[in-house]
Amino acid sequence: MGSSPWRNERLRQEMKACEGELRALRQQQQQAPCLACEHVQENGRLQERLAQLQREVEEARAKLSELDLEVQQKTNRLAEVELRLKDSLAEKAEEEERLSRRLRDSQETIASLKSQPQQIKYIIKTVEVESSKAKQALCESQSRNQYLQEQVGMQRQVLKEMEQQLQSSQKTAAQLRAQIMMYEAELERAHGQMLEEMQAMEDEKNRAIEEAFSRAQVEMKAVHENLAGVRTNLLTLQPALRTLTNDYNSLKRQVRDFPLLLQETLRSARLEIGQAIEEVNSTNRELLRKYRRELQLRKKCHNELVRLKGNIRVFGRVRPITKEDGEGAEATNAVTFDPDDDAVLHLMHKGKQVSFELDKVFPPQATQEDVFQEVQALVTSCIDGYNVCIFAYGQTGAGKTYTMEGTSANPGINQRALQLLFAEVRGKAADWDYGITVSVAEIYNEALRDLLGKEPQEKLEIKLCPDGSGQLYVPGLTEFRVQSVEDINKVFEFGHVNRATECTNLNEHSSRSHALLIVTVRGLDRSTGLRTTGKLNLVDLAGSERVGRSGAEGSRLREAQYINKSLSALGDVIYALRSRQGHVPFRNSKLTYLLQDSLSGDSKTLMMVQVSPAEKNSSETLCSLKFAERVRSVELGPVSRKAELASWPSQEQLEVTAPPGALPG
């Protein structure tokens, strides 16, 4: 098989030699037509060479047939490969047959040159063309032969691998046979042992039966002897038996009547127990009613005491668990509530329960309306000339902005407060003239900015009123007069556009500044000339956060540092007020300086502490609730009302006009 490519190459070389000789004959015919005898000799040599080529082709065909037979014998189990080899060999045989036919045609063409020497030019051309085709056929035959050799090699490799697998299987089978023989010997040995044990057990059983039979005979004899004694005793016990029978019949009648007596006793016992339980339940209900009434009375007295002392009232609100809290142990609820006291909540922190008491606690299911009902009395007092401050405190993402601002469909304290003020003003319109103005500011990176001004980035300063009252005011802070809900929506929308918010790891829309909504209500009693001025400060503090958890970087990190610094200053002020220090550091930050009027005893102040119930935020929740308890213990003193008698002012003096353009569009 290895010499076949070499023979094919030799055939191609000889075919090339034949083609060269034919070209030489054509040239000689053109140059010397008279040399016909030489042409005849050359044609004879060509015929001999063509015959030799034909014999070699036949030998190659025989070799290929032998190879085909060998491949078929060695690949009996590979039917698909055998079919491909057969097809390939058949195609090769056809190609060789075509090559043989072409060679015979060439031989006939050369033979015809003898009789037609004038046309040998054209015949030689035809033979030359046919020789090119024969060359191509030989090339194809050689490539086909090479492909078959590769297939045979692959089949031999597969056969070798299968022989190796067969040897491995035989070896494994020999091992398994050895193991089977070992197991059979072990089974035979176990079978022998089992037979021996069964025989021993059979012998033991026979001995036990014999011993039991002997004992039974002895016992039977003793029983017979006892039976004789019993018969004797029975004769003497018959009178006693009759007495026992009479006693038994009497007891039987009593037992028959016992269920009725028992049912009657149980029925009376149930009635007595039911009456006792009903009396206890009635007593418990009465005690619970008295307790709740006492609790309400205590809370009312406490609220009155807080009002007289001027304490800061503290409400707590717990937001629901949300998908942002994640899943697993970190998202479990760590906050629980007292079912009998709505001012107490419990926090589970590091395996320990910590309880806190505030003025009011709102659970996650509390609505915006529920929260506002508790604060609306404070809001309406600003109409009577009192200063009121409500501020929300808590970590980032605890729900401060939602409580203060809410959404368009479910507004918070800010918008509800203004709507309530409009309703109160309309109710007193017969005797009073009121004007309501609104300002919106924020403290961003210790800079006070006017969110309703033409230049929101312009920094403003906090100064004392020049009238000597000691009150603070912000020169240049824009005020807009509002008269309807539409005016409120425009103001809020304009303020929201300019407020700084950003996304952090703890909150997707985290407030990066302290927002202040300042509502001023000026009123005039037309009948007495009494003029009142009340101010309502609604503050949404920026969220306290740990920088490591919030993921703040760059400018966000700088914002977080300013926020934490201002909230720390607020804690210092609360500590100073609580411990009644002579100096209270209001000026340590813009936030505490602006809230000085609300924290120094001249305002009704309420803090809404917002907390998260998630376990992963329990540390921040603990800090917020501890701060709320400290704030709740601060006493600011009694609150004064801002009212004075004045001469009748003109309507222009009562109104506060807005800059050109009135409300922002």
Side-chain angles (χ1 to χ4, degrees), residues 97-110:
E97 183 66 27
R98 285 198 298 270
L99 180 61
S100 298
R101 286 198 299 269
R102 289 174 184 171
L103 288 175
R104 286 195 297 270
D105 293 340
S106 298
Q107 185 178 3
E108 292 174 359
T109 303
I110 293 172

Side-chain angles (χ1 to χ4, degrees), residues 252-289:
K252 187 176 180 180
R253 287 191 297 272
Q254 292 179 6
V255 168
R256 188 172 55 250
D257 297 336
F258 179 76
L260 298 176
L261 296 174
L262 180 62
Q263 290 179 1
E264 185 65 26
T265 305
L266 289 176
R267 189 179 301 108
S268 62
R270 287 194 189 99
L271 290 175
E272 292 177 0
I273 293 172
Q275 291 176 358
I277 292 174
E278 183 62 28
E279 291 176 359
V280 171
N281 288 337
S282 177
T283 304
N284 288 340
R285 285 194 296 270
E286 181 65 20
L287 290 175
L288 184 61
R289 185 183 63 80

